[in-house]
Amino acid sequence: MAYSTFISILAFSLYFGVSKCYFAIPLKIYPGKLNVSSELSRRVVLTVDGTDGTGLSLASDPSGTVDFLDMVDNLQGDSGRGYYIEMALGTPGQKVNILVDTGSSNFAVAAASHPFITHYFNTALSSTYQSVGRTVGVRYTQGNWEGELGIDRVSIPNGPNGTFIINIAAILSSEGFFLPGINWQGILGLAYPMLARPDSSVEPFFDSLVQQLGIPDIFSLQMCGAGLSASSTADPIGGSLIIGGAEPALYQGSVWYTPIVEEWYYQVEVLKLEVGDQNLDLDCREYNMDKAIVDSGTTLLRLPANVFNAVVDAITRTSLIQDFSSGFWDGTKYACWLKGETPWRFFPKLSIYLRATNTSQSFRITILPQLYIQPITDVDGTLDCFRFGLSSSANGLVIGATVMEGFYVVFDRAQRRVGFALSNCAVSGGVALSEIAGPFSAADVAANCSVGPQKEPLLWMISYALMAVCAVILVVLLLLLLVLPCRCRARSGEITDESSLVRHRIK
């Protein structure tokens, strides 16, 4: 998952905003562990200052295998604790909650007890479970799990009818993967075989579903936690995973599509970013360094370091908020206002331009501050605290839940494209929290802004080539040693593959 993600609020929950309206407000920034008794005084100084896309309109699959309306609201959770779907594994079926992640490709479920989960899939109690005798492990930037590969029957109560045979990674041990406060016991990787572990021969869940049920190679996601604090609601907020197409009742207007650049992650091409009405004016390759992906398993909007710094600079240039700590931008501190004093009017909109399927054009997806200035908790009933929903990334641009919660996102694998439409649940207080506009000319950007993925097979090919070169050099050196009295010191190294599954979650 890009474990890209949803876990970020969990660790931060132990710790404890910029338009051209002219406000001057003394702002309190609080670090991690809060013990606040001070008052927050405030002084306010005011000076007044068509889309055209091709959408899917499927209401159900003509074969009768899929009824999309039955799948509406089949997700629970939120951006802080993850969006998950209920499944039944084995015979008889054992119910588990599975995190939905478009940034990985393994279907993995706890098969042993763990302090942070309430139950697990007991393979010994399933008469249809079969181990395939292979071990598997996935290591994330923070956290990892190991287990064995097996196959078993799986059904989705609020999904396609019937049961199907699926590759399952039975998690036997883990570290930093299951965290306190979550209500899921496994992960559903919905990306391509290229990311599957231990190798691409392990057919991912959705590929198996398409083959066995004959459903269209399309799924779509609506995540409904926009602008809401995970701690503010007793019940999970939820959303919908539509398997086999798109449900028009869940979005408004047209679906705008951007091509999938490479089929590993859902890699797309970002052409430019705007903060309010300011174009960052960066080379478009900066936005795609080293990739730009759409990942439901990542909580934040993650940006390459240069892009992130440019965004923060653009925001702070428009801000007259006093005493604003850099800790807010780097995620180490929360910003708190008097209760009821929402900060969103002080911040600009953020816009991402994506290349359209007509490659000479682009379209723009825009999120309002309610999506990226995120409520976290309150303090002593007097302060509301917020965090910055963007972070710096060393591994590419990740369109995570911060953005996805504003849109209904269609993963049209059949036509190799990702679609965005306005989600009908991305509304707060009657105000839509997202916008889509276009088409715009892409003549002012390069014909190809993608840097290109660093795929594992390519890395192995490079490593093999380097090893061959080293072997040749070694042979030459040995021959020279036999002839010349030279002193040579051999150097050996290890080529490590920080694979595409090394995640970018903030915890």
Side-chain angles (χ1 to χ4, degrees), residues 155-178:
S155 63
I156 306 175
N158 295 302
N161 295 328
T163 60
F164 13 92
I165 306 298
I166 298 294
N167 290 307
I168 298 174
I171 299 175
L172 301 176
S173 64
S174 65
E175 183 180 354
F177 181 72
F178 299 111

mmCIF file with all atom_site columns, all heavy atoms in Angstrom, residues 155-178:
data_model
loop_
_atom_site.group_PDB
_atom_site.id
_atom_site.type_symbol
_atom_site.label_atom_id
_atom_site.label_alt_id
_atom_site.label_comp_id
_atom_site.label_asym_id
_atom_site.label_entity_id
_atom_site.label_seq_id
_atom_site.pdbx_PDB_ins_code
_atom_site.Cartn_x
_atom_site.Cartn_y
_atom_site.Cartn_z
_atom_site.occupancy
_atom_site.B_iso_or_equiv
_atom_site.pdbx_formal_charge
_atom_site.auth_seq_id
_atom_site.auth_comp_id
_atom_site.auth_asym_id
_atom_site.auth_atom_id
_atom_site.pdbx_PDB_model_num
ATOM 1   N N   . SER A 1 155 ? -15.805 -15.225 -0.405 1.00 0.00 ? 155 SER A N   1
ATOM 2   C CA  . SER A 1 155 ? -17.025 -14.568 -0.874 1.00 0.00 ? 155 SER A CA  1
ATOM 3   C C   . SER A 1 155 ? -17.104 -13.188 -0.235 1.00 0.00 ? 155 SER A C   1
ATOM 4   O O   . SER A 1 155 ? -16.503 -12.932 0.808  1.00 0.00 ? 155 SER A O   1
ATOM 5   C CB  . SER A 1 155 ? -18.270 -15.386 -0.524 1.00 0.00 ? 155 SER A CB  1
ATOM 6   O OG  . SER A 1 155 ? -18.428 -15.493 0.880  1.00 0.00 ? 155 SER A OG  1
ATOM 7   N N   . ILE A 1 156 ? -17.832 -12.296 -0.911 1.00 0.00 ? 156 ILE A N   1
ATOM 8   C CA  . ILE A 1 156 ? -18.006 -10.920 -0.429 1.00 0.00 ? 156 ILE A CA  1
ATOM 9   C C   . ILE A 1 156 ? -19.497 -10.703 -0.213 1.00 0.00 ? 156 ILE A C   1
ATOM 10  O O   . ILE A 1 156 ? -20.268 -10.621 -1.185 1.00 0.00 ? 156 ILE A O   1
ATOM 11  C CB  . ILE A 1 156 ? -17.452 -9.903  -1.436 1.00 0.00 ? 156 ILE A CB  1
ATOM 12  C CG1 . ILE A 1 156 ? -15.995 -10.225 -1.775 1.00 0.00 ? 156 ILE A CG1 1
ATOM 13  C CG2 . ILE A 1 156 ? -17.564 -8.485  -0.881 1.00 0.00 ? 156 ILE A CG2 1
ATOM 14  C CD1 . ILE A 1 156 ? -15.403 -9.343  -2.862 1.00 0.00 ? 156 ILE A CD1 1
ATOM 15  N N   . PRO A 1 157 ? -19.961 -10.636 1.041  1.00 0.00 ? 157 PRO A N   1
ATOM 16  C CA  . PRO A 1 157 ? -21.400 -10.494 1.296  1.00 0.00 ? 157 PRO A CA  1
ATOM 17  C C   . PRO A 1 157 ? -22.056 -9.360  0.520  1.00 0.00 ? 157 PRO A C   1
ATOM 18  O O   . PRO A 1 157 ? -23.156 -9.521  -0.002 1.00 0.00 ? 157 PRO A O   1
ATOM 19  C CB  . PRO A 1 157 ? -21.457 -10.254 2.810  1.00 0.00 ? 157 PRO A CB  1
ATOM 20  C CG  . PRO A 1 157 ? -20.239 -10.953 3.335  1.00 0.00 ? 157 PRO A CG  1
ATOM 21  C CD  . PRO A 1 157 ? -19.187 -10.759 2.286  1.00 0.00 ? 157 PRO A CD  1
ATOM 22  N N   . ASN A 1 158 ? -21.377 -8.219  0.435  1.00 0.00 ? 158 ASN A N   1
ATOM 23  C CA  . ASN A 1 158 ? -21.908 -7.079  -0.325 1.00 0.00 ? 158 ASN A CA  1
ATOM 24  C C   . ASN A 1 158 ? -21.065 -6.847  -1.573 1.00 0.00 ? 158 ASN A C   1
ATOM 25  O O   . ASN A 1 158 ? -20.562 -5.756  -1.827 1.00 0.00 ? 158 ASN A O   1
ATOM 26  C CB  . ASN A 1 158 ? -21.933 -5.822  0.543  1.00 0.00 ? 158 ASN A CB  1
ATOM 27  C CG  . ASN A 1 158 ? -22.894 -5.949  1.704  1.00 0.00 ? 158 ASN A CG  1
ATOM 28  O OD1 . ASN A 1 158 ? -24.087 -6.174  1.518  1.00 0.00 ? 158 ASN A OD1 1
ATOM 29  N ND2 . ASN A 1 158 ? -22.372 -5.843  2.919  1.00 0.00 ? 158 ASN A ND2 1
ATOM 30  N N   . GLY A 1 159 ? -20.929 -7.923  -2.358 1.00 0.00 ? 159 GLY A N   1
ATOM 31  C CA  . GLY A 1 159 ? -20.151 -7.880  -3.583 1.00 0.00 ? 159 GLY A CA  1
ATOM 32  C C   . GLY A 1 159 ? -20.763 -8.788  -4.621 1.00 0.00 ? 159 GLY A C   1
ATOM 33  O O   . GLY A 1 159 ? -21.960 -9.102  -4.550 1.00 0.00 ? 159 GLY A O   1
ATOM 34  N N   . PRO A 1 160 ? -19.981 -9.245  -5.590 1.00 0.00 ? 160 PRO A N   1
ATOM 35  C CA  . PRO A 1 160 ? -20.516 -10.146 -6.615 1.00 0.00 ? 160 PRO A CA  1
ATOM 36  C C   . PRO A 1 160 ? -21.040 -11.438 -5.983 1.00 0.00 ? 160 PRO A C   1
ATOM 37  O O   . PRO A 1 160 ? -20.522 -11.902 -4.963 1.00 0.00 ? 160 PRO A O   1
ATOM 38  C CB  . PRO A 1 160 ? -19.290 -10.432 -7.501 1.00 0.00 ? 160 PRO A CB  1
ATOM 39  C CG  . PRO A 1 160 ? -18.341 -9.319  -7.224 1.00 0.00 ? 160 PRO A CG  1
ATOM 40  C CD  . PRO A 1 160 ? -18.567 -8.922  -5.806 1.00 0.00 ? 160 PRO A CD  1
ATOM 41  N N   . ASN A 1 161 ? -22.064 -12.016 -6.597 1.00 0.00 ? 161 ASN A N   1
ATOM 42  C CA  . ASN A 1 161 ? -22.641 -13.254 -6.088 1.00 0.00 ? 161 ASN A CA  1
ATOM 43  C C   . ASN A 1 161 ? -21.671 -14.415 -6.236 1.00 0.00 ? 161 ASN A C   1
ATOM 44  O O   . ASN A 1 161 ? -20.887 -14.469 -7.182 1.00 0.00 ? 161 ASN A O   1
ATOM 45  C CB  . ASN A 1 161 ? -23.942 -13.592 -6.842 1.00 0.00 ? 161 ASN A CB  1
ATOM 46  C CG  . ASN A 1 161 ? -25.028 -12.563 -6.580 1.00 0.00 ? 161 ASN A CG  1
ATOM 47  O OD1 . ASN A 1 161 ? -25.084 -11.989 -5.502 1.00 0.00 ? 161 ASN A OD1 1
ATOM 48  N ND2 . ASN A 1 161 ? -25.885 -12.334 -7.567 1.00 0.00 ? 161 ASN A ND2 1
ATOM 49  N N   . GLY A 1 162 ? -21.725 -15.350 -5.309 1.00 0.00 ? 162 GLY A N   1
ATOM 50  C CA  . GLY A 1 162 ? -20.962 -16.579 -5.424 1.00 0.00 ? 162 GLY A CA  1
ATOM 51  C C   . GLY A 1 162 ? -19.648 -16.564 -4.665 1.00 0.00 ? 162 GLY A C   1
ATOM 52  O O   . GLY A 1 162 ? -19.287 -15.584 -4.007 1.00 0.00 ? 162 GLY A O   1
ATOM 53  N N   . THR A 1 163 ? -18.926 -17.681 -4.745 1.00 0.00 ? 163 THR A N   1
ATOM 54  C CA  . THR A 1 163 ? -17.613 -17.810 -4.140 1.00 0.00 ? 163 THR A CA  1
ATOM 55  C C   . THR A 1 163 ? -16.578 -18.004 -5.233 1.00 0.00 ? 163 THR A C   1
ATOM 56  O O   . THR A 1 163 ? -16.904 -18.419 -6.348 1.00 0.00 ? 163 THR A O   1
ATOM 57  C CB  . THR A 1 163 ? -17.561 -19.006 -3.167 1.00 0.00 ? 163 THR A CB  1
ATOM 58  O OG1 . THR A 1 163 ? -17.858 -20.198 -3.897 1.00 0.00 ? 163 THR A OG1 1
ATOM 59  C CG2 . THR A 1 163 ? -18.566 -18.830 -2.039 1.00 0.00 ? 163 THR A CG2 1
ATOM 60  N N   . PHE A 1 164 ? -15.320 -17.707 -4.905 1.00 0.00 ? 164 PHE A N   1
ATOM 61  C CA  . PHE A 1 164 ? -14.254 -17.792 -5.897 1.00 0.00 ? 164 PHE A CA  1
ATOM 62  C C   . PHE A 1 164 ? -12.994 -18.266 -5.198 1.00 0.00 ? 164 PHE A C   1
ATOM 63  O O   . PHE A 1 164 ? -12.833 -18.111 -3.983 1.00 0.00 ? 164 PHE A O   1
ATOM 64  C CB  . PHE A 1 164 ? -14.021 -16.445 -6.590 1.00 0.00 ? 164 PHE A CB  1
ATOM 65  C CG  . PHE A 1 164 ? -14.680 -15.286 -5.910 1.00 0.00 ? 164 PHE A CG  1
ATOM 66  C CD1 . PHE A 1 164 ? -13.996 -14.557 -4.956 1.00 0.00 ? 164 PHE A CD1 1
ATOM 67  C CD2 . PHE A 1 164 ? -15.995 -14.940 -6.205 1.00 0.00 ? 164 PHE A CD2 1
ATOM 68  C CE1 . PHE A 1 164 ? -14.610 -13.507 -4.305 1.00 0.00 ? 164 PHE A CE1 1
ATOM 69  C CE2 . PHE A 1 164 ? -16.603 -13.874 -5.537 1.00 0.00 ? 164 PHE A CE2 1
ATOM 70  C CZ  . PHE A 1 164 ? -15.909 -13.159 -4.590 1.00 0.00 ? 164 PHE A CZ  1
ATOM 71  N N   . ILE A 1 165 ? -12.106 -18.873 -5.961 1.00 0.00 ? 165 ILE A N   1
ATOM 72  C CA  . ILE A 1 165 ? -10.853 -19.389 -5.430 1.00 0.00 ? 165 ILE A CA  1
ATOM 73  C C   . ILE A 1 165 ? -9.786  -18.303 -5.575 1.00 0.00 ? 165 ILE A C   1
ATOM 74  O O   . ILE A 1 165 ? -9.545  -17.807 -6.677 1.00 0.00 ? 165 ILE A O   1
ATOM 75  C CB  . ILE A 1 165 ? -10.404 -20.671 -6.168 1.00 0.00 ? 165 ILE A CB  1
ATOM 76  C CG1 . ILE A 1 165 ? -11.536 -21.697 -6.143 1.00 0.00 ? 165 ILE A CG1 1
ATOM 77  C CG2 . ILE A 1 165 ? -9.138  -21.224 -5.529 1.00 0.00 ? 165 ILE A CG2 1
ATOM 78  C CD1 . ILE A 1 165 ? -11.934 -22.147 -4.767 1.00 0.00 ? 165 ILE A CD1 1
ATOM 79  N N   . ILE A 1 166 ? -9.145  -17.969 -4.464 1.00 0.00 ? 166 ILE A N   1
ATOM 80  C CA  . ILE A 1 166 ? -8.252  -16.810 -4.432 1.00 0.00 ? 166 ILE A CA  1
ATOM 81  C C   . ILE A 1 166 ? -6.928  -17.188 -3.776 1.00 0.00 ? 166 ILE A C   1
ATOM 82  O O   . ILE A 1 166 ? -6.875  -17.978 -2.834 1.00 0.00 ? 166 ILE A O   1
ATOM 83  C CB  . ILE A 1 166 ? -8.907  -15.653 -3.638 1.00 0.00 ? 166 ILE A CB  1
ATOM 84  C CG1 . ILE A 1 166 ? -10.198 -15.200 -4.309 1.00 0.00 ? 166 ILE A CG1 1
ATOM 85  C CG2 . ILE A 1 166 ? -7.947  -14.486 -3.472 1.00 0.00 ? 166 ILE A CG2 1
ATOM 86  C CD1 . ILE A 1 166 ? -10.026 -14.562 -5.660 1.00 0.00 ? 166 ILE A CD1 1
ATOM 87  N N   . ASN A 1 167 ? -5.829  -16.600 -4.283 1.00 0.00 ? 167 ASN A N   1
ATOM 88  C CA  . ASN A 1 167 ? -4.539  -16.698 -3.594 1.00 0.00 ? 167 ASN A CA  1
ATOM 89  C C   . ASN A 1 167 ? -4.589  -15.882 -2.305 1.00 0.00 ? 167 ASN A C   1
ATOM 90  O O   . ASN A 1 167 ? -4.966  -14.704 -2.324 1.00 0.00 ? 167 ASN A O   1
ATOM 91  C CB  . ASN A 1 167 ? -3.413  -16.156 -4.484 1.00 0.00 ? 167 ASN A CB  1
ATOM 92  C CG  . ASN A 1 167 ? -3.118  -17.057 -5.663 1.00 0.00 ? 167 ASN A CG  1
ATOM 93  O OD1 . ASN A 1 167 ? -2.879  -18.252 -5.485 1.00 0.00 ? 167 ASN A OD1 1
ATOM 94  N ND2 . ASN A 1 167 ? -3.125  -16.503 -6.865 1.00 0.00 ? 167 ASN A ND2 1
ATOM 95  N N   . ILE A 1 168 ? -4.207  -16.511 -1.218 1.00 0.00 ? 168 ILE A N   1
ATOM 96  C CA  . ILE A 1 168 ? -4.228  -15.848 0.089  1.00 0.00 ? 168 ILE A CA  1
ATOM 97  C C   . ILE A 1 168 ? -2.841  -15.938 0.716  1.00 0.00 ? 168 ILE A C   1
ATOM 98  O O   . ILE A 1 168 ? -2.253  -17.019 0.780  1.00 0.00 ? 168 ILE A O   1
ATOM 99  C CB  . ILE A 1 168 ? -5.251  -16.501 1.032  1.00 0.00 ? 168 ILE A CB  1
ATOM 100 C CG1 . ILE A 1 168 ? -6.667  -16.378 0.464  1.00 0.00 ? 168 ILE A CG1 1
ATOM 101 C CG2 . ILE A 1 168 ? -5.185  -15.868 2.423  1.00 0.00 ? 168 ILE A CG2 1
ATOM 102 C CD1 . ILE A 1 168 ? -7.718  -17.119 1.277  1.00 0.00 ? 168 ILE A CD1 1
ATOM 103 N N   . ALA A 1 169 ? -2.347  -14.802 1.162  1.00 0.00 ? 169 ALA A N   1
ATOM 104 C CA  . ALA A 1 169 ? -1.133  -14.799 1.981  1.00 0.00 ? 169 ALA A CA  1
ATOM 105 C C   . ALA A 1 169 ? -1.578  -14.843 3.436  1.00 0.00 ? 169 ALA A C   1
ATOM 106 O O   . ALA A 1 169 ? -2.175  -13.882 3.937  1.00 0.00 ? 169 ALA A O   1
ATOM 107 C CB  . ALA A 1 169 ? -0.298  -13.560 1.697  1.00 0.00 ? 169 ALA A CB  1
ATOM 108 N N   . ALA A 1 170 ? -1.333  -15.971 4.106  1.00 0.00 ? 170 ALA A N   1
ATOM 109 C CA  . ALA A 1 170 ? -1.714  -16.138 5.506  1.00 0.00 ? 170 ALA A CA  1
ATOM 110 C C   . ALA A 1 170 ? -0.623  -15.528 6.379  1.00 0.00 ? 170 ALA A C   1
ATOM 111 O O   . ALA A 1 170 ? 0.491   -16.061 6.456  1.00 0.00 ? 170 ALA A O   1
ATOM 112 C CB  . ALA A 1 170 ? -1.904  -17.618 5.823  1.00 0.00 ? 170 ALA A CB  1
ATOM 113 N N   . ILE A 1 171 ? -0.928  -14.396 7.018  1.00 0.00 ? 171 ILE A N   1
ATOM 114 C CA  . ILE A 1 171 ? 0.062   -13.681 7.825  1.00 0.00 ? 171 ILE A CA  1
ATOM 115 C C   . ILE A 1 171 ? 0.249   -14.404 9.156  1.00 0.00 ? 171 ILE A C   1
ATOM 116 O O   . ILE A 1 171 ? -0.685  -14.522 9.958  1.00 0.00 ? 171 ILE A O   1
ATOM 117 C CB  . ILE A 1 171 ? -0.381  -12.230 8.072  1.00 0.00 ? 171 ILE A CB  1
ATOM 118 C CG1 . ILE A 1 171 ? -0.534  -11.483 6.734  1.00 0.00 ? 171 ILE A CG1 1
ATOM 119 C CG2 . ILE A 1 171 ? 0.609   -11.510 8.979  1.00 0.00 ? 171 ILE A CG2 1
ATOM 120 C CD1 . ILE A 1 171 ? -1.092  -10.079 6.886  1.00 0.00 ? 171 ILE A CD1 1
ATOM 121 N N   . LEU A 1 172 ? 1.467   -14.884 9.377  1.00 0.00 ? 172 LEU A N   1
ATOM 122 C CA  . LEU A 1 172 ? 1.776   -15.615 10.604 1.00 0.00 ? 172 LEU A CA  1
ATOM 123 C C   . LEU A 1 172 ? 2.542   -14.769 11.615 1.00 0.00 ? 172 LEU A C   1
ATOM 124 O O   . LEU A 1 172 ? 2.499   -15.042 12.814 1.00 0.00 ? 172 LEU A O   1
ATOM 125 C CB  . LEU A 1 172 ? 2.568   -16.881 10.261 1.00 0.00 ? 172 LEU A CB  1
ATOM 126 C CG  . LEU A 1 172 ? 1.849   -17.863 9.317  1.00 0.00 ? 172 LEU A CG  1
ATOM 127 C CD1 . LEU A 1 172 ? 2.763   -19.021 8.964  1.00 0.00 ? 172 LEU A CD1 1
ATOM 128 C CD2 . LEU A 1 172 ? 0.547   -18.362 9.945  1.00 0.00 ? 172 LEU A CD2 1
ATOM 129 N N   . SER A 1 173 ? 3.245   -13.773 11.142 1.00 0.00 ? 173 SER A N   1
ATOM 130 C CA  . SER A 1 173 ? 3.952   -12.858 12.041 1.00 0.00 ? 173 SER A CA  1
ATOM 131 C C   . SER A 1 173 ? 4.032   -11.492 11.380 1.00 0.00 ? 173 SER A C   1
ATOM 132 O O   . SER A 1 173 ? 4.046   -11.385 10.143 1.00 0.00 ? 173 SER A O   1
ATOM 133 C CB  . SER A 1 173 ? 5.355   -13.378 12.368 1.00 0.00 ? 173 SER A CB  1
ATOM 134 O OG  . SER A 1 173 ? 6.162   -13.430 11.197 1.00 0.00 ? 173 SER A OG  1
ATOM 135 N N   . SER A 1 174 ? 4.074   -10.459 12.193 1.00 0.00 ? 174 SER A N   1
ATOM 136 C CA  . SER A 1 174 ? 4.134   -9.099  11.647 1.00 0.00 ? 174 SER A CA  1
ATOM 137 C C   . SER A 1 174 ? 4.742   -8.166  12.676 1.00 0.00 ? 174 SER A C   1
ATOM 138 O O   . SER A 1 174 ? 4.791   -8.473  13.873 1.00 0.00 ? 174 SER A O   1
ATOM 139 C CB  . SER A 1 174 ? 2.737   -8.607  11.258 1.00 0.00 ? 174 SER A CB  1
ATOM 140 O OG  . SER A 1 174 ? 1.911   -8.480  12.407 1.00 0.00 ? 174 SER A OG  1
ATOM 141 N N   . GLU A 1 175 ? 5.189   -7.027  12.180 1.00 0.00 ? 175 GLU A N   1
ATOM 142 C CA  . GLU A 1 175 ? 5.736   -5.985  13.044 1.00 0.00 ? 175 GLU A CA  1
ATOM 143 C C   . GLU A 1 175 ? 5.351   -4.635  12.478 1.00 0.00 ? 175 GLU A C   1
ATOM 144 O O   . GLU A 1 175 ? 5.670   -4.306  11.332 1.00 0.00 ? 175 GLU A O   1
ATOM 145 C CB  . GLU A 1 175 ? 7.261   -6.106  13.126 1.00 0.00 ? 175 GLU A CB  1
ATOM 146 C CG  . GLU A 1 175 ? 7.898   -5.082  14.064 1.00 0.00 ? 175 GLU A CG  1
ATOM 147 C CD  . GLU A 1 175 ? 9.408   -5.222  14.139 1.00 0.00 ? 175 GLU A CD  1
ATOM 148 O OE1 . GLU A 1 175 ? 9.951   -6.186  13.558 1.00 0.00 ? 175 GLU A OE1 1
ATOM 149 O OE2 . GLU A 1 175 ? 10.055  -4.359  14.777 1.00 0.00 ? 175 GLU A OE2 1
ATOM 150 N N   . GLY A 1 176 ? 4.594   -3.861  13.254 1.00 0.00 ? 176 GLY A N   1
ATOM 151 C CA  . GLY A 1 176 ? 4.201   -2.530  12.819 1.00 0.00 ? 176 GLY A CA  1
ATOM 152 C C   . GLY A 1 176 ? 3.166   -2.513  11.721 1.00 0.00 ? 176 GLY A C   1
ATOM 153 O O   . GLY A 1 176 ? 2.925   -1.462  11.118 1.00 0.00 ? 176 GLY A O   1
ATOM 154 N N   . PHE A 1 177 ? 2.548   -3.645  11.432 1.00 0.00 ? 177 PHE A N   1
ATOM 155 C CA  . PHE A 1 177 ? 1.535   -3.693  10.370 1.00 0.00 ? 177 PHE A CA  1
ATOM 156 C C   . PHE A 1 177 ? 0.141   -3.486  10.955 1.00 0.00 ? 177 PHE A C   1
ATOM 157 O O   . PHE A 1 177 ? -0.600  -2.625  10.515 1.00 0.00 ? 177 PHE A O   1
ATOM 158 C CB  . PHE A 1 177 ? 1.624   -5.032  9.634  1.00 0.00 ? 177 PHE A CB  1
ATOM 159 C CG  . PHE A 1 177 ? 0.640   -5.172  8.507  1.00 0.00 ? 177 PHE A CG  1
ATOM 160 C CD1 . PHE A 1 177 ? 0.800   -4.452  7.339  1.00 0.00 ? 177 PHE A CD1 1
ATOM 161 C CD2 . PHE A 1 177 ? -0.446  -6.034  8.604  1.00 0.00 ? 177 PHE A CD2 1
ATOM 162 C CE1 . PHE A 1 177 ? -0.109  -4.566  6.292  1.00 0.00 ? 177 PHE A CE1 1
ATOM 163 C CE2 . PHE A 1 177 ? -1.350  -6.171  7.567  1.00 0.00 ? 177 PHE A CE2 1
ATOM 164 C CZ  . PHE A 1 177 ? -1.188  -5.429  6.411  1.00 0.00 ? 177 PHE A CZ  1
ATOM 165 N N   . PHE A 1 178 ? -0.211  -4.273  11.956 1.00 0.00 ? 178 PHE A N   1
ATOM 166 C CA  . PHE A 1 178 ? -1.466  -4.066  12.683 1.00 0.00 ? 178 PHE A CA  1
ATOM 167 C C   . PHE A 1 178 ? -1.181  -3.095  13.827 1.00 0.00 ? 178 PHE A C   1
ATOM 168 O O   . PHE A 1 178 ? -0.248  -3.302  14.610 1.00 0.00 ? 178 PHE A O   1
ATOM 169 C CB  . PHE A 1 178 ? -1.990  -5.388  13.241 1.00 0.00 ? 178 PHE A CB  1
ATOM 170 C CG  . PHE A 1 178 ? -2.285  -6.421  12.186 1.00 0.00 ? 178 PHE A CG  1
ATOM 171 C CD1 . PHE A 1 178 ? -1.506  -7.554  12.069 1.00 0.00 ? 178 PHE A CD1 1
ATOM 172 C CD2 . PHE A 1 178 ? -3.338  -6.248  11.305 1.00 0.00 ? 178 PHE A CD2 1
ATOM 173 C CE1 . PHE A 1 178 ? -1.773  -8.511  11.104 1.00 0.00 ? 178 PHE A CE1 1
ATOM 174 C CE2 . PHE A 1 178 ? -3.610  -7.194  10.327 1.00 0.00 ? 178 PHE A CE2 1
ATOM 175 C CZ  . PHE A 1 178 ? -2.832  -8.329  10.227 1.00 0.00 ? 178 PHE A CZ  1
#
